[in-house]
Amino acid sequence: MTFQSAITFFIAIFVFSITPGSGVFAIIGRSMVRGAKNSIMLCVGMALSDIVYLIMACYGLAAIAAQWETVFLVIRYFGAAYLIYLGWKMWTASVSESDGVSSSKNAKNGFASFLQGFMISASNPKVIVFYIAFLPSFLDVTALHGVDIILAAVIAFSALLLGLTIISVCASQARRYMKSEKAMKGLNRSAGSIMALAGCYLGLKG
């Protein structure tokens, strides 16, 4: 991969990362209520799951992924149900519950957020099709070496994480304008609705 190809690859993956979808909606919903800091692990989980697909595409494992359709379906429905549950929790949360979270609970929530993000991306095997069609434009897939794959994975992970983090930070800015209890409750319900809709989208998409 040349330097120009690497830059183009980074930009293309960055644009792909901010394309609206269930993952982006989940990040928006979480960031609006919890802030960008509490959405970091969600972003990391989504980005890392995509990298797994990228590596699978590099090694030509699309055929194997296609045979796991039932597994992907179960993961997708589980992830969708979890997003809807989180949406309901956000909708019914009091303002104090939104603001006060202990450090131990933050650590536990961080791991749960990582798994949630990983499952959201993992539930969409079409991502591997995207990479299979996409990678030949930037890599010589007939002569791939381990270094090439590592380089592509690092570039893709950086671009994905940057795009998702920017979305998270932008969404979290809405909190700055929500000072009253009524406004915060409205923010909770708006974010909860977005999260629940993300779950519905994840569960119903073909």
Side-chain angles (χ1 to χ4, degrees), residues 30-152:
R30 171 69 63 83
S31 300
M32 285 175 66
V33 172
R34 303 289 186 182
K37 185 177 180 180
N38 281 283
S39 300
I40 292 175
M41 294 308 296
L42 183 67
C43 297
V44 171
M46 288 180 58
L48 191 59
S49 183
D50 263 39
I51 297 308
V52 172
Y53 275 132
L54 184 148
I55 293 173
M56 289 175 70
C58 287
Y59 283 108
L61 297 179
I64 295 177
Q67 295 176 6
W68 295 348
E69 184 176 353
T70 302
V71 176
F72 285 124
L73 193 63
V74 171
I75 292 174
R76 191 176 85 193
Y77 286 147
F78 182 81
Y82 186 55
L83 287 178
I84 293 172
Y85 167 74
L86 288 177
W88 175 77
K89 290 286 288 182
M90 287 181 178
W91 180 279
T92 58
S94 65
V95 175
S96 59
E97 287 176 328
S98 297
D99 293 336
V101 183
S102 67
S103 57
S104 61
K105 190 173 181 181
N106 272 335
K108 189 181 295 184
N109 285 344
F111 181 70
S113 293
F114 173 82
L115 289 179
Q116 177 192 345
F118 193 91
M119 284 193 301
I120 289 173
S121 289
S123 66
N124 185 13
K126 292 178 182 177
V127 173
I128 198 171
V129 178
F130 167 80
Y131 282 124
I132 287 173
F134 191 66
L135 286 173
S137 300
F138 303 93
L139 295 170
D140 181 4
V141 293
T142 62
L144 275 179
H145 299 288
V147 176
D148 298 318
I149 296 173
I150 292 173
L151 178 60

Side-chain angles (χ1 to χ4, degrees), residues 126-189:
K126 292 178 182 177
V127 173
I128 198 171
V129 178
F130 167 80
Y131 282 124
I132 287 173
F134 191 66
L135 286 173
S137 300
F138 303 93
L139 295 170
D140 181 4
V141 293
T142 62
L144 275 179
H145 299 288
V147 176
D148 298 318
I149 296 173
I150 292 173
L151 178 60
V154 170
I155 293 173
F157 182 81
S158 302
L160 288 165
L161 195 58
L162 177 62
L164 296 175
T165 301
I166 288 175
I167 289 173
S168 177
V169 171
C170 290
S172 70
Q173 295 307 303
R175 290 162 53 88
R176 290 180 147 191
Y177 305 100
M178 303 294 177
K179 301 298 184 182
S180 68
E181 184 174 339
K182 182 178 180 181
M184 283 301 297
K185 183 175 288 187
L187 179 62
N188 284 350
R189 292 186 172 181

